[in-house]
Amino acid sequence: MLNCTGLILTYNGEKYLKQCIQSLSFCKEILVIDSNSQDKTVEIAQKNGARVIINSWKGPAKQFKFAFKHIHTDWVISLDQDEILSPELQEEIKHNLHHNDKKYAGFFCPRKSFYFDRFIKHCGWYPDYLLRVFYLPKTSLYTSGPHYGFRVSGDTLKLKGHIIHYPYENLFHHMEKINYYTQEAAKDMAEKNISSGVIKALGHGLARFMKIYFLKLGFLDGKAGFILSLNAFFYGFHKYIRVLEFKKAN
């Protein structure tokens, strides 16, 4: 067992949670911070050896701050409930943490995501390097609306093995997430007094489609790339339209 903690924030994440936890089995402890799931998430986590703490969701910043207080190791591997470490990445992490000797403060991992009917190779989705293995005393969290990431003060290294990601169960689930993310992002933008309007919303939506489908070669991902690009247009358009809605409501 490596002296590190596998950290997973959960909410109704029963579908991939077992595989997620099992891919972290080399960690000294696996900590699950659950936001009052209504499915079998907590049961699955406990059956697979994780320590579970229930804490109501108040946004990623507060949830991670809460989680960090309950971690007893210096090294952390943070995964979402729909992410799984590939066997190759597991071996890389074990090797690098065992031989690190404080040379690196964090490791970036490439993420490979499945969408519609395939793993996406373009669209700006791949290799999608994420800092998910980090030395906690030198780590800070940053957030932007509903999104989050980690920064470390110190050297980092890019690994080669993949985080396997299943972000959406189906297109209905994708639309649900778009609805949530655009609402949270628009609220944050409105509070920062960012300007908006129909033309601006349309422009941002079209720009996202053009960037993903053409500049990021989304057309090479077939039907999945086209659908993903259209939903990117919808995301960009709705984010800015909802800013306008928030401002009118206030």
Side-chain angles (χ1 to χ4, degrees), residues 6-246:
L7 174 63
I8 312 166
L9 305 189
T10 61
Y11 178 70
N12 291 344
E14 64 181 9
K15 186 168 185 179
Y16 297 107
L17 186 59
K18 181 179 178 179
Q19 297 96 310
C20 177
I21 292 174
Q22 289 178 344
S23 75
L24 292 165
S25 61
F26 59 89
C27 296
K28 182 178 181 180
E29 180 176 63
I30 298 172
L31 176 62
V32 168
I33 307 297
D34 185 74
S35 305
N36 300 292
S37 290
Q38 304 301 309
D39 61 5
K40 295 182 179 179
T41 293
V42 171
E43 179 184 342
I44 292 169
Q46 291 172 336
K47 281 186 177 180
N48 285 275
R51 177 164 65 104
V52 180
I53 301 175
I54 310 296
N55 190 58
S56 297
W57 181 262
K58 297 183 179 69
K62 291 184 177 179
Q63 197 73 333
F64 273 108
K65 185 177 180 180
F66 175 85
F68 289 167
K69 291 180 180 178
H70 293 84
I71 291 176
H72 308 302
T73 63
D74 286 334
W75 281 95
V76 177
I77 303 170
S78 177
L79 289 181
D80 291 343
Q81 62 189 14
D82 52 14
E83 296 175 340
I84 302 162
L85 298 180
S86 69
E88 295 79 11
L89 183 54
Q90 293 178 44
E91 293 303 315
E92 273 190 283
I93 292 172
K94 287 189 283 186
H95 174 81
N96 280 281
L97 291 189
H98 184 70
H99 296 92
N100 186 42
D101 195 28
K102 298 184 179 179
K103 181 179 180 181
Y104 297 107
F107 297 91
F108 282 89
C109 307
R111 184 169 67 173
K112 183 167 64 174
S113 298
F114 189 89
Y115 188 79
F116 192 65
D117 61 355
R118 70 189 68 195
F119 282 103
I120 299 297
K121 296 180 180 179
H122 307 91
C123 295
W125 272 33
Y126 184 80
D128 191 23
Y129 280 100
L130 300 169
L131 185 73
R132 291 299 186 83
V133 184
F134 50 84
Y135 186 68
L136 188 55
K138 292 186 176 181
T139 301
S140 60
L141 176 78
Y142 66 90
T143 60
S144 176
H147 303 288
Y148 73 89
F150 304 105
R151 294 190 183 99
V152 295
S153 56
D155 293 333
T156 60
L157 179 69
K158 285 184 177 180
L159 302 181
K160 296 179 180 179
H162 294 100
I163 294 175
I164 308 301
H165 186 210
Y166 297 94
Y168 311 114
E169 294 181 18
N170 48 41
L171 292 175
F172 179 85
H173 185 215
H174 189 188
M175 297 307 292
E176 280 189 323
K177 282 203 171 183
I178 288 176
N179 192 40
Y180 169 72
Y181 285 138
T182 53
Q183 190 75 355
E184 291 299 308
K187 181 180 178 181
D188 184 59
M189 291 164 65
E191 289 172 352
K192 294 176 180 176
N193 202 32
I194 293 175
S195 64
S196 185
V198 174
I199 300 301
K200 191 169 186 178
L202 184 62
H204 275 272
L206 287 171
R208 284 180 64 88
F209 177 86
M210 297 293 286
K211 178 181 178 180
I212 291 175
Y213 194 66
F214 293 108
L215 295 181
K216 297 296 183 179
L217 306 180
F219 61 89
L220 294 178
D221 283 312
K223 289 181 290 186
F226 182 70
I227 295 167
L228 184 57
S229 301
L230 278 180
N231 281 331
F233 165 84
F234 185 77
Y235 178 94
F237 178 78
H238 259 262
K239 184 171 69 172
Y240 277 84
I241 281 296
R242 292 183 189 201
V243 171
L244 188 63
E245 185 178 55
F246 270 117

